[in-house]
Amino acid sequence: MEREPYFFLSYARRDDRGSAFVRRFYDDLLAELGRLGADCSGQQPFLDIERIGLGMDWESALGSEIGHCRALVALCSPAYVNSPYCGKEWAAFESRLLRYREQTDIEVPALIPVLWVPLHNAMPPEISKYQYFEPPMGQEYLEQGLMGLLRSAPGGRAYRAVLELVAKRVHHVADLFRLPRAHGLDLGTVRSPFEGREPTGPGRRTTGHVRVFIAAGVTDPLPTGRQRHEYYGPSPLDWTPYHPPIHPTVAYRAQRVIIDEGCTSSLEVVDRGLGEKLDEAMHNNQTSVLLVDAWAARDSQYRAPLSDYDRQNHPVTGVLVPCHETDEESVDEKLWTDLQQVFRRNWMRRNDPYDPLFQVQVERQRFESRLARMVVVAQNRLMEQAVPRRLPAGPSAPPMPGLNVPYTPPPSSDDPTEPPGRTPPQKDQDDEL
C-alpha cells in the first residue's frame, strides 16, 4: 500500500530550537487522535526529525510526504511566514486542495492553520482565508499562541481546548477524504505565497550565502578508533551525529537552519584546498561554516586542512563540532584532547558566549540555536568588513533634467482646455535624435 501520512506537521525550525515544544504538540496530537478512535499506525504522520533518516534526500522526502499526506497542520508564526520552505510546503499542499475542488466541487478543510506564535501584523490573507480560530479555543490562544500555552500550562484547559479541536479536524478530513496525489513533487519549483509578508523584527533577518564544509567519516573505512557504523554513510554528507537513523543528517539540519535565517547555502566536503576556498568565499562576500566530526578530524585527510585553517585568520568562518550525549564512544577525553591539538589557536575560545564562532561538543538540542547564532554573527561581521564592488567603467551619465538648464517661466496659454499652470508640451533634444 502506498504511504499516505495521516497528517504532515509543517513548522519553522527557528520556533523550536532546543525547546521540544513542537515534539510535545506532535505527541499530544497523536494521543488525542487515538482517543478519538483514529488509527494512524498504518499511515504514520510526518514529523521531519523523525521520518527523514540516514542518507535520504531530504528535499525529495519532503516533496513525497507533502504530495501524499491526508492533512497538513501548519504551526503559523512570524518565523513560519518568513521560512521559504514552510511557504513551499503550504503552497504545494494547497495545490492539491484546489485540484480536488476542481474535480469534485467540494471544499476540504484539510489545510489546518494553528496559531503557534502571534504575528506582529495581521494574519496574511493566504492563511486567514482558512479557519484558524473557533470560540472554544479562547482568548488566551489568540494572545499567546499555542506555544505560549505550552510554556505556561502544558496540561491546562486552554491548551487542551485547542488540541482537541485540531485533532477533531484532522480526524474528520483524514478519514473522510482522499486528495489527489502529487507524484514526484519537486519543492524546488514551488514558490512560497508569503514572500515579504511578515518582518521578523529590527535587524533580525539576514541575507547572503553560507558555504558549509563538512569534515566527517564514512562507513568504509570508519574513522580511526570508531566502532559505531550507524553514524555514517557512503559519503561524508551522510554523517548523522545525533542518534541515527531517527534524526536527519547534519547537512540537512544545517541547511534548514540557514534557510530559516534568510540565507542560501551550499555543501562541500573539506579537502586540502579548504584555506583557499574560505578566502575565496570571503572575497565574494560569503560566510562559511565547518561542521567537524571529532573522530574524522584525527585522520590525515582532514587533520592537515583543519590545522591550516586554525593557523590562519578567517573572521567570518564558524566551526561547530557536534557530539551526541549518549554516545559512549565520544565521552573519551582522549578524543577531545586530540581535537584540541588540531585547533590549538582556536581552542581557547571554544564555546565563548561572546564569540560564538567556535563551538565544540554541541549536543542535539543546542545544535540549531548555536548554528543560527553563528550564521547571524558571521553575517554581521561580514557586513562590517565587506569589500565594495566597483562597477565597470563606462560612459558618463547624461545630465539630470532641469539641473543645468536655466528656468524659464511657462508661456501663457489662451486655450481654455489647458489647466492652470500646465506647460504646453515641448520637443526636447532626445526627440530630434
Side-chain angles (χ1 to χ4, degrees):
M1 182 175 65
E2 192 169 15
R3 176 170 158 74
E4 289 183 346
Y6 204 76
F7 68 86
F8 182 108
L9 189 61
S10 177
Y11 69 99
R13 281 83 197 149
R14 186 186 295 168
D15 283 335
D16 199 51
R17 291 186 181 132
S19 55
F21 289 121
V22 168
R23 182 64 201 229
R24 169 65 188 269
F25 172 66
Y26 174 82
D27 290 341
D28 288 347
L29 185 54
L30 280 182
E32 185 63 23
L33 285 167
R35 194 183 69 80
L36 293 173
D39 182 10
C40 305
S41 58
Q43 298 295 350
Q44 182 71 18
F46 181 83
L47 180 64
D48 62 351
I49 62 172
E50 186 172 85
R51 300 296 304 177
I52 296 181
L54 180 65
M56 292 178 66
D57 180 340
W58 63 269
E59 194 169 58
S60 297
L62 286 178
S64 176
E65 302 288 336
I66 285 286
H68 291 78
C69 63
R70 300 182 185 181
L72 183 136
V73 178
L75 304 187
C76 300
S77 67
Y80 188 92
V81 172
N82 273 301
S83 167
Y85 263 85
C86 290
K88 288 171 179 283
E89 292 165 1
W90 178 287
F93 185 79
E94 186 178 46
S95 69
R96 295 177 60 207
L97 296 182
L98 297 177
R99 281 174 54 202
Y100 189 81
R101 185 177 66 185
E102 292 171 357
Q103 295 170 3
T104 66
D105 204 29
I106 297 174
E107 293 275 1
V108 182
L111 205 169
I112 306 168
V114 173
L115 184 61
W116 189 244
V117 176
L119 277 74
H120 305 302
N121 300 316
M123 187 72 81
E126 293 85 359
I127 296 177
S128 61
K129 66 182 179 182
Y130 297 97
Q131 187 174 13
Y132 68 92
F133 175 75
E134 298 178 30
M137 291 177 163
Q139 188 64 27
E140 290 176 89
Y141 168 63
L142 285 178
E143 293 174 354
Q144 301 179 40
L146 193 61
M147 189 167 76
L149 298 181
L150 263 173
R151 286 181 186 276
S152 58
R157 175 195 54 78
Y159 172 69
R160 296 295 310 176
V162 178
L163 178 68
E164 290 168 8
L165 286 170
V166 173
K168 287 177 181 177
R169 174 84 68 83
V170 172
H171 186 210
H172 171 72
V173 299
D175 281 4
L176 193 59
F177 301 98
R178 289 297 179 272
L179 299 174
R181 297 166 180 165
H183 296 285
L185 177 62
D186 180 5
L187 286 180
T189 65
V190 179
R191 181 177 179 181
S192 169
F194 310 132
E195 291 181 6
R197 283 286 182 185
E198 177 75 3
T200 53
R204 182 66 182 88
R205 189 167 177 80
T206 61
T207 58
H209 185 80
V210 182
R211 291 177 68 171
V212 180
F213 297 88
I214 296 182
V218 295
T219 50
D220 187 19
L222 283 172
T224 302
R226 197 66 154 131
Q227 303 297 320
R228 303 284 295 272
H229 287 77
E230 65 266 35
Y231 291 95
Y232 302 101
S235 162
L237 300 183
D238 296 321
W239 176 40
T240 311
Y242 297 122
H243 195 55
I246 293 177
H247 296 286
T249 66
V250 74
Y252 162 80
R253 294 169 68 94
Q255 285 194 300
R256 294 306 298 262
V257 169
I258 292 167
I259 286 171
D260 283 345
E261 292 303 327
C263 299
T264 59
S265 65
S266 57
L267 295 174
E268 303 170 60
V269 176
V270 167
D271 59 21
R272 293 188 177 276
L274 176 64
E276 294 177 1
K277 292 177 181 179
L278 295 178
D279 290 338
E280 174 190 57
M282 186 169 175
H283 176 76
N284 292 331
N285 291 335
Q286 298 171 341
T287 57
S288 303
V289 170
L290 310 183
L291 299 177
V292 178
D293 172 14
W295 290 94
R298 288 172 154 179
D299 296 338
S300 59
Q301 174 188 358
Y302 296 124
R303 189 179 185 93
L306 292 176
S307 295
D308 287 344
Y309 154 82
D310 184 66
R311 288 190 290 268
Q312 298 168 6
N313 180 34
H314 295 286
V316 296
T317 297
V319 175
L320 191 149
V321 185
C323 177
H324 187 49
E325 58 269 30
T326 61
D327 173 21
E328 64 278 6
E329 289 185 5
S330 294
V331 297
D332 183 3
E333 279 298 319
K334 188 171 189 317
L335 174 68
W336 302 102
T337 301
D338 289 348
L339 188 69
Q340 179 179 355
Q341 297 306 308
V342 175
F343 294 108
R344 292 186 180 187
R345 285 186 63 232
N346 285 280
W347 196 255
M348 292 298 293
R349 66 183 185 119
R350 68 190 184 281
N351 301 335
D352 185 340
Y354 301 104
D355 181 13
L357 294 192
F358 191 82
Q359 301 287 311
V360 300
Q361 292 181 280
V362 178
E363 299 176 352
R364 183 192 65 209
Q365 63 269 27
R366 294 185 173 89
F367 175 84
E368 294 185 346
S369 60
R370 293 201 178 181
L371 178 58
R373 187 167 180 230
M374 185 178 290
V375 168
V376 171
V377 169
Q379 288 284 323
N380 290 342
R381 288 186 183 176
L382 179 66
M383 291 302 178
E384 293 172 358
Q385 51 192 307
V387 179
R389 296 285 177 252
R390 186 182 298 277
L391 292 175
S396 302
M400 291 289 289
L403 294 183
N404 60 351
V405 178
Y407 172 77
T408 55
S412 61
S413 173
D414 297 326
D415 187 349
T417 63
E418 291 287 349
R422 175 177 174 179
T423 304
Q426 297 181 4
K427 195 179 190 75
D428 60 26
Q429 292 179 345
D430 291 337
D431 293 333
E432 296 176 357
L433 297 178

